[in-house]
Amino acid sequence: MYKVVDGTPIPYSTIDPDTVEVYGLQSARIRFKEESEEFISEVKGRKGYLEINTGVENKIQIIIKDNKVTVTFHDSDDFTTQVRNTNTLITFLDTKGTFFLNDHEEYFGWNKDDPDVTKLRKTMIELRDRLQIVRILERETHLPFFMKNPPEDVNKLLHAVIYKYKHPNKKEHGVYRVVADGKVFYLMIIPVKDQNRKVIIRSIFQKATIDSLSMVYNHSGVKFKMNPYTYGDDPIEEIGDYDPKLVQTWFEETGVNSDVEERYANDYSFQLLRAYEKTQNNSFRDLAIYITKMTFEYDSDENVSFLNYMQALKRRDRVSLSKMKRLFEISKDGEPRERFAAKLLLEASDEDVLEAWGEVDDIEKKQLQKFPIFDFVKGSLRQKIS
């Protein structure tokens, strides 16, 4: 996502390669004027030729040969290294090529207005500005801007995001779904009036989303707020920058205040449990446990809320004696689908589970097979039920 400066010739006036006492290949300490950092560098010398490989990871190459200086800027896979070397080379150009080799000052003394120097400096400034944009966008969008050798489709997407950042359309705002490297990202585009930037492009998985993405819904006359970090219809495991901590923090601060909100939260916990079963990512499971515990505490008398909490919790912890007792009561006195779920969680015999299954009507059977509770139907029992 950045330009590479390669082999730009710069006239020099002061350094003669034969005056620098380096022969063969040596290690040397290089420090550029106006910078405090010292680089352990590689220096090669022979009659009429001097080569210096310096900077972070020795990515800056300076060759003196045939009455000219050639500066080559090699790209780095590491973003921080690229930024540091870019700034170092700009300083080198601005100080007329002054540096210290093993504490001895060397000086190219070129004219800052020389066309070749001006061209290289302009390219490096453009690179620095582009890197600053990339740093902002990678931090705010979580897209892989510094991916090594990105596929063509990813490369096009990243360039498109940079273009929209530099050339925003005032009419273009909202949440957009994009795919990069096989993962889904939800990006918010927010036009702003700021002297430094005209638009904000960021992932919904940022803390600031809570202030800019309002999700108020009306269900049968009941208005309620949805968690903005649950935006989108894609499976949770396919979201590239999913952040369960942001999701949980919102629920902690907002809570459940109506039956509609309870139903919505439980449905979302099912998505988390499906993601957990596919990936075994414990953060999905733990968030599902938190949400189902919250909905259960909202309506602790409701068997369904309790069963949802238990099926999430059982994926991590042993069920306590008091909870086992309530499961046993539901397995005896609950509605048919509740009795079936309770017996599954109690790990009852196949015969007991099949008996409860037989009492569930056909419509509910089809529904139950789509729910996470059916993950507990295993082995020979699954064959008998299906």
Side-chain angles (χ1 to χ4, degrees), residues 136-320:
I136 291 170
L137 288 174
E138 188 165 49
R139 182 179 65 240
E140 296 193 354
T141 68
H142 303 151
L143 291 173
F145 276 93
F146 219 67
M147 177 189 289
K148 185 178 180 180
N149 301 321
E152 184 179 353
D153 59 334
V154 175
N155 199 42
K156 285 182 179 179
L157 168 65
L158 300 179
H159 279 285
V161 173
I162 290 175
Y163 182 84
K164 288 184 182 297
Y165 183 85
K166 295 175 69 175
H167 309 282
N169 182 341
K170 293 181 180 179
K171 295 181 181 179
E172 195 171 36
H173 59 86
V175 182
Y176 295 81
R177 177 188 182 274
V178 300
V179 178
D181 199 30
K183 290 292 185 179
V184 175
F185 296 82
Y186 293 104
L187 303 183
M188 297 182 66
I189 297 182
I190 308 169
V192 294
K193 294 181 180 179
D194 189 287
Q195 61 179 3
N196 297 319
R197 62 199 297 190
K198 297 178 181 177
V199 68
I200 293 173
I201 304 178
R202 68 169 176 241
S203 164
I204 66 166
F205 289 101
Q206 295 281 7
K207 191 174 181 180
T209 294
I210 197 170
D211 299 320
S212 50
L213 181 59
S214 176
M215 295 175 62
V216 179
Y217 286 78
N218 189 320
H219 182 85
S220 301
V222 178
K223 286 187 176 181
F224 71 101
K225 267 189 174 184
M226 282 184 68
N227 189 325
Y229 304 110
T230 64
Y231 183 92
D233 298 322
D234 291 281
I236 291 170
E237 71 275 9
E238 295 179 9
I239 299 174
D241 60 338
Y242 185 79
D243 189 340
K245 291 182 180 178
L246 285 173
V247 179
Q248 180 167 328
T249 298
W250 189 92
F251 277 121
E252 288 173 349
E253 295 174 351
T254 306
V256 171
N257 304 294
S258 69
D259 293 348
V260 174
E261 291 173 30
E262 179 196 15
R263 189 157 54 250
Y264 145 68
N266 265 324
D267 287 347
Y268 189 72
S269 74
F270 292 167
Q271 295 180 48
L272 287 163
L273 292 175
R274 292 188 189 102
Y276 170 70
E277 290 298 330
K278 290 179 182 178
T279 66
Q280 295 300 297
N281 184 328
N282 291 341
S283 67
F284 297 151
R285 176 202 63 196
D286 293 346
L287 179 55
I289 291 171
Y290 174 83
I291 292 173
T292 53
K293 183 174 185 290
M294 176 185 65
T295 56
F296 167 62
E297 289 172 348
Y298 167 77
D299 188 2
S300 59
D301 294 330
E302 175 61 43
N303 284 344
V304 172
S305 294
F306 176 74
L307 290 167
N308 286 337
Y309 176 35
M310 287 302 97
Q311 67 146 329
L313 188 63
K314 191 173 173 61
R315 286 170 164 84
R316 185 186 69 188
D317 302 330
R318 294 183 64 180
V319 178
S320 68

Side-chain angles (χ1 to χ4, degrees), residues 3-99:
K3 299 176 182 176
V4 177
V5 184
D6 188 13
T8 301
I10 304 173
Y12 72 97
S13 58
T14 303
I15 294 182
D16 182 335
D18 292 334
T19 66
V20 180
E21 296 182 357
V22 176
Y23 300 96
L25 175 63
Q26 294 185 20
S27 176
R29 292 177 290 106
I30 299 286
R31 180 175 63 83
F32 293 92
K33 188 176 181 180
E34 297 184 2
E35 292 205 353
S36 59
E37 186 171 12
E38 193 171 67
F39 303 105
I40 303 301
S41 308
E42 185 182 86
V43 181
K44 300 176 184 178
R46 62 178 183 269
K47 186 174 178 58
Y49 178 89
L50 180 66
E51 176 183 324
I52 301 171
N53 295 284
T54 188
V56 184
E57 298 178 357
N58 286 348
K59 294 294 186 179
I60 299 173
Q61 184 182 68
I62 304 166
I63 295 178
I64 308 167
K65 181 183 178 183
D66 299 331
N67 294 324
K68 72 176 182 180
V69 178
T70 300
V71 178
T72 303
F73 185 86
H74 296 286
D75 62 312
S76 172
D77 294 335
D78 179 72
F79 183 87
T80 301
T81 297
Q82 190 74 3
V83 171
R84 288 167 64 191
N85 283 337
T86 300
N87 291 330
T88 294
L89 186 49
I90 291 172
T91 299
F92 181 56
L93 296 173
D94 288 345
T95 57
K96 299 183 179 181
T98 304
F99 65 99

Side-chain angles (χ1 to χ4, degrees), residues 122-138:
K122 181 176 182 292
T123 302
M124 297 308 300
I125 293 294
E126 290 175 352
L127 172 57
R128 184 182 66 186
D129 293 345
R130 192 171 181 84
L131 286 170
Q132 288 175 345
I133 291 175
V134 167
R135 172 175 279 173
I136 291 170
L137 288 174
E138 188 165 49

